[in-house]
Amino acid sequence: MSPARQPPLVTGISPNEGAPWTKVTIRGENLGTGANDLIGLSICGHNCLLTAEWMSASKIVCRVGPAKDDKGEIIVTTKSGGHGTSTVSFKLLKPERIGILDQSAVWVDELNYYDMRTDRNKGISPLSLRPANPLGIDIDKGKVPLKDLENMFPSMSGDFTSENFSATWYLIENHSSTSFEQLRAAVGNLKKQASKKNEGSLAYVKGGLSTFFEAQDALAAIHQKLESDGTEKVEGSMTQRLENVLNRASETADTLFQEVLGRKDKADSTRNALNVLQRFKFLFNLPLNIERNIQKGDYDVVINDYEKAKSLFGNTEVPVFKKVYSEVETRIEALRKLLLDKLLETPSTLHDQKRYIRYLSDLHAPGDPAWQCIVAQHKWILQLMQNCKEDYIKEQKGIHTLGGVSLELDRSSALNRISLSAPVKRGGSFQTPKDDSRHYKSPQQVRFVEKLSDVVISQLPNFWKLWISYVNGSLFSETGEKSGQVEKLKKNARQRQNDFKGMIEEVTRRLVQLVRGALLPSSLTEQQLRQYGGWDTKTPLSGVWLTQVIHTVRLSHEALSALEIPNDLLQVIQDLLQDLRVHCLLTTLQHTEEDVKRLAEKEDWVVDNEGITSLPAQFEQCMVQMLQSLKEPMECKPGEINLLCVCLFWLINCQYLERHTFLNLAEHLEKNGFTTAEKIIRVSIEALRQLDEYLFETYIEKKSDPIVGSLEPGIYAGYFDWKDCLPPTGVRSYLKEALVSIISVHAEVFTVSKELVSRVISKITEAVAEEMSRLMQCVSSFSKNGALQARLEICALQDAIEPYLTTESLTSFKQALEALPQLQSGADKK
């Protein structure tokens, strides 16, 4: 590897001062190894790279641009040496330019204006020489849009060089906030300019009077000579003879030098062609450079070169330029197709997707590549999920071929990472096994759910982030610039929100249906089973494995919720969790019942020192295992329904059985000749009522105990004393919390059945009223303020739950009020 070159050093510039577009020669050391090595050249802060012509490692020729700084350094930058330094400086002179309408006694070279784009001297439009500020005061651009001005002044213009110039338009556009005093000063400036032009014309005539006389004398002498020559010579005037001589000389010269001149013309044409190739080598070399950079993967370089060529030659009318530019467009179109193919490849990282989308956006690719990528990713995720199911079913049936999806849930999987990082309290319930050997012993359905969840958790976050970047526009511009194209693409994204919502909904629904097909096939229709089922369910899963499945699905739900996906899109996962918890609960209880029944078979009748066999210990072990398995499904996470609410559904079913089903059964029994139908129905209804009463009391106990238990600590919070308290200003927090808890129970019951609301809430109010009565009767004495506070809170509670008061609760409230001192003054009663 060759050693690094020294940075460029500029030691001289000739000339060292001059006006803009002055041609200068730069000398120094390490100025590059060639034209391609030179990547930067600035003089007085202006970029002069476009006009630079590399001669050698110690010499560069260029032209100075219109820099802002009057004096500055000459900095050369090369690929081999990097950013250079300078020991000399250049002074930029700014001579006063003679305007197109100014009078001058000398000839002004109008071709001495440099055209930076084409690197040649070229005349410029006289309009570009017009004064930028004809009024001579500060310009204050207004906020009136151009479209509004065009509507206000149709067929007019704010350009003071235009034939349709409108002074009002010009003042609104450039001086909308200018004060009246400044406008008055502008009028004075215009008058001074007019008088100066008049005085200048007179001074110009006076100063050039001698020149006029000399020109007049010369013209008069020529005229006199021609006239005298024409009158004395018969064969014609001198001008006619001169024309004949010149014509004959031209014909003779053409005859003598026709071949030489032809070769010269051909050489000139070749030279001009070479000059054009050298001058526009950027364009002529661009197709080949594009091909090379595409092969190297330097897409940024290709895009920058294409934008440069498009700005310079996009609207050219020169045939050769049009031909080369069309070839450039062909290569760019091939690049667009290549980038689109790479964008739609799967699998792909989020970083690569964003990069390809920005490239296509910069290349103005047709359509919406970002949306095409989102659609392709959506199909890819669905296909991964389906492949996962098919591969595990094949393995279950003994076919060990995996369609691209590994069955092994490795330690670095997304699900395992979340499991290790999430603060999930399991407290004795099943945890994700860390031993790989145990993993291979797990049932196929459990491993399938783990792998399926891992697929969703690893793919859906990037899919969601891609959509968010698509909506906020950061997908198209890293700098956040607001171009017309970016705003258009953001508008398209907002219009496709419902479509993307449907994609997320389809992924979550597919996840739920695949899990149901493996674990809850009875919850699917026959058509859904054909698509999502196919599992061997002869051996049902135990509660321990169902607990692991619930834990896995919960981790998936937490990971998706962390992405801020709307809850309505994740509701199907919540419903799945609810069904899995109920299924796990019932399965665990059934298996425990069967295990307890089989304990008798395991009894060996070996008595220990205390005269006890192993049966009690085995029974205790069954109960402990059952409770450990039930901890995960019984635990209620945020957003999940408490399984205790299942009691409400059973209560409704009990009522329906008593009021409708048994009556219908009795009628059918009588129709079919069963004489004991009445006794059968009576016994069944009695058993049903006992079940109903048991379920109802269990639910009321679970709901009322926390409310009743919070009353006494709430009343005496903060060392409250009925004998010494402040005048009442309202009910205290404990009563508000109790009412909120009652409202929560009301909402839960109302969601399930309106008919149960009165029955449940009335029972809870009885418990609350009884507890308030007990607490008031336990108080030894009240102060006046204490009695007022107690009466206020009891009356407020009674009024709040008035629709659900029963005889028992009214009696309790009456006893509580009787325990308080009676009010004497009318103000206290009020």
Side-chain angles (χ1 to χ4, degrees):
M1 182 175 180
S2 60
R5 295 180 63 87
Q6 295 296 325
L9 175 64
V10 176
T11 58
I13 183 170
S14 177
N16 60 2
E17 63 179 13
W21 311 125
T22 299
K23 190 171 184 179
V24 297
T25 300
I26 301 171
R27 298 187 182 277
E29 302 174 0
N30 302 318
L31 300 184
T33 60
N36 293 332
D37 191 40
L38 182 64
I39 60 174
L41 174 60
S42 65
I43 301 177
C44 297
H46 183 269
N47 186 4
C48 302
L49 183 60
L50 284 176
T51 64
E53 184 177 358
W54 186 89
M55 307 301 292
S56 66
S58 59
K59 179 180 178 182
I60 297 175
V61 177
C62 71
R63 290 186 180 272
V64 181
K68 296 181 179 179
D69 301 332
D70 293 338
K71 190 174 183 179
E73 295 182 335
I74 302 93
I75 303 299
V76 176
T77 306
T78 62
K79 294 180 181 178
S80 58
H83 193 72
T85 57
S86 174
T87 60
V88 295
S89 61
F90 184 84
K91 183 177 181 181
L92 188 66
L93 304 178
K94 297 183 179 179
E96 183 177 355
R97 177 175 288 176
I98 298 175
I100 193 68
L101 302 179
D102 296 338
Q103 296 181 356
S104 175
V106 297
W107 177 259
V108 178
D109 185 5
E110 296 181 356
L111 297 180
N112 195 24
Y113 296 105
Y114 188 77
D115 187 351
M116 192 168 112
R117 291 198 316 169
T118 57
D119 190 16
R120 65 172 183 264
N121 290 332
K122 178 181 176 184
I124 61 176
S125 171
L127 297 179
S128 63
L129 300 176
R130 63 180 182 266
N133 187 7
L135 298 183
I137 58 177
D138 293 338
I139 294 178
D140 185 9
K141 288 286 186 180
K143 298 182 179 179
V144 181
L146 183 60
K147 291 184 178 179
D148 294 346
L149 291 172
E150 291 176 351
N151 295 332
M152 293 168 60
F153 305 99
S155 304
M156 304 299 289
S157 173
D159 186 356
F160 55 82
T161 62
S162 174
E163 296 180 357
N164 301 325
F165 172 68
S166 171
T168 308
W169 181 335
Y170 180 81
L171 290 176
I172 293 176
E173 182 180 10
N174 298 286
H175 299 284
S176 59
S177 301
T178 304
S179 64
F180 181 75
E181 294 299 327
Q182 287 180 310
L183 292 176
R184 177 180 290 178
V187 173
N189 292 338
L190 290 175
K191 291 180 179 179
K192 290 179 181 179
Q193 292 178 19
S195 61
K196 182 178 179 182
K197 287 185 178 181
N198 294 333
E199 293 175 359
S201 299
L202 183 59
Y204 167 75
V205 173
K206 290 180 179 178
L209 193 59
S210 60
T211 304
F212 290 145
F213 288 153
E214 292 175 1
Q216 176 65 25
D217 293 341
L219 290 174
I222 293 172
H223 182 69
Q224 184 179 3
K225 179 64 176 174
L226 291 175
E227 281 189 347
S228 62
D229 181 71
T231 55
E232 296 175 357
K233 304 297 181 181
V234 179
E235 55 268 23
S237 64
M238 185 177 69
T239 54
Q240 291 175 343
R241 286 187 294 143
L242 181 59
E243 181 181 1
N244 294 332
V245 171
L246 291 176
N247 287 335
R248 288 195 299 270
S250 176
E251 294 174 358
T252 304
D254 290 341
T255 303
L256 293 175
F257 298 101
Q258 185 173 7
E259 183 179 356
V260 177
L261 293 176
R263 289 197 298 269
K264 179 181 179 300
D265 292 340
K266 186 176 181 180
D268 290 341
S269 300
T270 304
R271 190 180 300 105
N272 291 335
L274 292 175
N275 289 336
V276 170
L277 289 174
Q278 180 64 24
R279 186 176 298 169
F280 300 102
K281 61 181 179 181
F282 165 73
L283 176 62
F284 293 113
N285 293 334
L286 187 56
L288 182 59
N289 290 336
I290 289 177
E291 195 69 30
R292 290 175 178 173
N293 289 325
I294 289 176
Q295 293 177 358
K296 292 189 294 184
D298 294 338
Y299 302 121
D300 290 312
V301 178
V302 175
I303 293 173
N304 291 336
D305 290 345
Y306 173 65
E307 289 293 334
K308 180 179 177 182
K310 187 176 181 181
S311 63
L312 294 176
F313 306 101
N315 299 321
T316 183
E317 295 297 331
V318 181
V320 65
F321 292 166
K322 291 178 69 175
K323 181 178 180 181
V324 177
Y325 185 74
S326 64
E327 186 177 351
V328 171
E329 286 287 0
T330 302
R331 303 291 176 91
I332 293 298
E333 184 61 33
L335 175 60
R336 293 191 185 106
K337 186 177 184 305
L338 173 65
L339 291 175
L340 184 60
D341 292 341
K342 287 182 175 291
L343 175 64
L344 301 182
E345 283 181 359
T346 50
S348 178
T349 64
L350 180 62
H351 173 74
D352 288 340
Q353 290 171 353
K354 289 184 176 182
R355 191 161 57 94
Y356 292 138
I357 290 172
R358 289 196 185 102
Y359 289 153
L360 290 168
S361 176
D362 293 339
L363 291 174
H364 306 285
D368 193 345
W371 180 250
Q372 291 177 271
C373 178
I374 291 175
V375 172
Q377 282 296 113
H378 174 246
K379 293 180 179 178
W380 164 250
I381 294 173
L382 294 179
Q383 188 62 43
L384 275 181
M385 297 169 68
Q386 194 67 25
N387 289 346
C388 182
K389 173 245 181 181
E390 293 174 357
D391 291 337
Y392 273 95
I393 288 181
K394 288 178 182 179
E395 188 191 17
Q396 188 183 44
K397 295 178 180 180
I399 304 174
H400 301 281
T401 56
L402 306 182
V405 181
S406 174
L407 292 180
E408 181 182 356
L409 185 67
D410 57 88
R411 299 292 296 275
S412 61
S413 66
L415 183 64
N416 211 20
R417 290 195 299 270
I418 294 175
S419 177
L420 294 175
S421 61
V424 181
K425 297 180 181 179
R426 305 182 188 89
S429 63
F430 182 87
Q431 298 185 7
T432 302
K434 296 183 179 179
D435 185 7
D436 290 341
S437 62
R438 181 179 179 181
H439 171 70
Y440 288 107
K441 298 177 184 178
S442 60
Q444 288 294 110
Q445 291 96 322
V446 177
R447 295 167 59 192
F448 163 68
V449 173
E450 290 178 347
K451 183 59 185 179
L452 182 66
S453 300
D454 185 61
V455 168
V456 174
I457 293 174
S458 62
Q459 297 295 330
L460 203 58
N462 287 341
F463 184 60
W464 178 260
K465 292 174 184 177
L466 182 66
W467 165 255
I468 296 299
S469 301
Y470 180 50
V471 172
N472 60 28
S474 62
L475 195 61
F476 312 105
S477 174
E478 292 181 344
T479 58
E481 60 181 5
K482 294 184 177 180
S483 64
Q485 185 186 11
V486 171
E487 292 300 319
K488 181 181 178 181
L489 292 171
K490 289 171 63 176
K491 182 179 179 181
N492 292 340
R494 289 190 291 268
Q495 293 174 350
R496 288 185 167 125
Q497 287 184 351
N498 291 333
D499 296 334
F500 182 78
K501 183 178 180 181
M503 291 180 180
I504 295 293
E505 189 174 1
E506 185 176 2
V507 172
T508 55
R509 186 172 62 251
R510 180 70 60 86
L511 170 67
V512 168
Q513 289 172 338
L514 287 172
V515 175
R516 287 184 181 276
L519 303 175
L520 303 171
S522 59
S523 63
L524 298 178
T525 63
E526 292 184 3
Q527 182 179 358
Q528 290 174 335
L529 275 176
R530 285 193 294 269
Q531 184 176 0
Y532 306 112
W535 294 88
D536 182 8
T537 57
K538 295 179 181 179
T539 304
L541 296 180
S542 64
V544 174
W545 294 117
L546 288 173
T547 299
Q548 181 179 348
V549 170
I550 293 173
H551 176 63
T552 300
V553 176
R554 273 178 171 164
L555 287 178
S556 302
H557 183 268
E558 291 173 4
L560 298 181
S561 299
L563 297 176
E564 300 182 355
I565 297 177
N567 291 331
D568 57 331
L569 299 180
L570 303 179
Q571 184 58 43
V572 290
I573 303 181
Q574 289 279 26
D575 298 339
L576 172 64
L577 278 171
Q578 177 68 19
D579 293 345
L580 286 174
R581 291 166 64 202
V582 173
H583 180 62
C584 180
L585 175 64
L586 297 177
T587 302
T588 303
L589 293 176
Q590 290 174 358
H591 288 180
T592 303
E593 180 185 6
E594 295 172 359
D595 292 342
V596 171
K597 288 180 179 179
R598 287 195 295 267
L599 286 179
E601 302 173 1
K602 300 179 181 180
E603 177 61 76
D604 54 6
W605 301 108
V606 177
V607 180
D608 59 7
N609 296 331
E610 298 180 0
I612 302 173
T613 65
S614 62
L615 191 61
Q618 292 178 3
F619 175 75
E620 181 181 356
Q621 184 180 3
C622 287
M623 293 297 103
V624 170
Q625 290 177 352
M626 180 193 70
L627 293 175
Q628 289 178 348
S629 299
L630 289 181
K631 184 171 181 61
E632 182 84 21
M634 290 300 294
E635 186 179 5
C636 186
K637 296 288 185 179
E640 296 180 0
I641 299 176
N642 196 327
L643 286 183
L644 194 60
C645 295
V646 178
C647 294
L648 297 176
F649 295 102
W650 288 341
L651 287 172
I652 299 170
N653 291 337
C654 289
Q655 292 180 0
Y656 185 84
L657 286 171
E658 181 180 352
R659 297 174 185 176
H660 301 282
T661 305
F662 284 160
L663 296 179
N664 293 336
L665 288 175
E667 182 179 348
H668 285 290
L669 287 172
E670 291 178 358
K671 285 182 180 180
N672 291 279
F674 290 90
T675 57
T676 59
E678 181 180 354
K679 182 179 179 181
I680 295 174
I681 298 302
R682 186 175 65 254
V683 173
S684 301
I685 290 178
E686 182 63 27
L688 190 64
R689 287 176 178 173
Q690 292 178 2
L691 175 61
D692 177 84
E693 188 65 26
Y694 171 75
L695 292 174
F696 181 74
E697 289 178 357
T698 302
Y699 184 78
I700 293 300
E701 181 182 356
K702 293 292 184 181
K703 292 298 182 181
S704 62
D705 285 355
I707 301 175
V708 172
S710 66
L711 292 176
E712 186 171 4
I715 289 176
Y716 296 104
Y719 301 100
F720 180 81
D721 189 358
W722 295 109
K723 300 177 184 178
D724 182 17
C725 60
L726 299 174
T729 57
V731 297
R732 289 179 291 159
S733 298
Y734 82 93
L735 191 63
K736 298 177 183 177
E737 293 174 358
L739 288 174
V740 169
S741 299
I742 296 174
I743 291 172
S744 176
V745 177
H746 181 283
E748 184 177 278
V749 178
F750 185 84
T751 304
V752 177
S753 172
K754 298 179 182 178
E755 297 179 357
L756 288 176
V757 171
S758 178
R759 183 182 177 189
V760 173
I761 302 301
S762 297
K763 204 67 177 178
I764 292 178
T765 56
E766 289 178 6
V768 172
E770 182 181 357
E771 179 67 10
M772 289 295 292
S773 175
R774 184 188 70 80
L775 292 173
M776 294 299 105
Q777 292 176 8
C778 291
V779 180
S780 58
S781 62
F782 293 87
S783 66
K784 179 182 177 181
N785 291 336
L788 279 174
Q789 184 71 46
R791 187 174 296 273
L792 172 65
E793 292 174 350
I794 293 173
C795 292
L797 177 60
Q798 184 175 358
D799 290 343
I801 59 179
E802 190 271 336
Y804 303 102
L805 293 177
T806 62
T807 304
E808 289 78 1
S809 56
L810 286 172
T811 302
S812 299
F813 278 123
K814 182 178 179 182
Q815 292 174 354
L817 292 174
E818 289 175 351
L820 304 177
Q822 299 300 313
L823 301 179
Q824 302 299 329
S825 65
D828 291 341
K829 293 180 180 179
K830 182 177 181 181

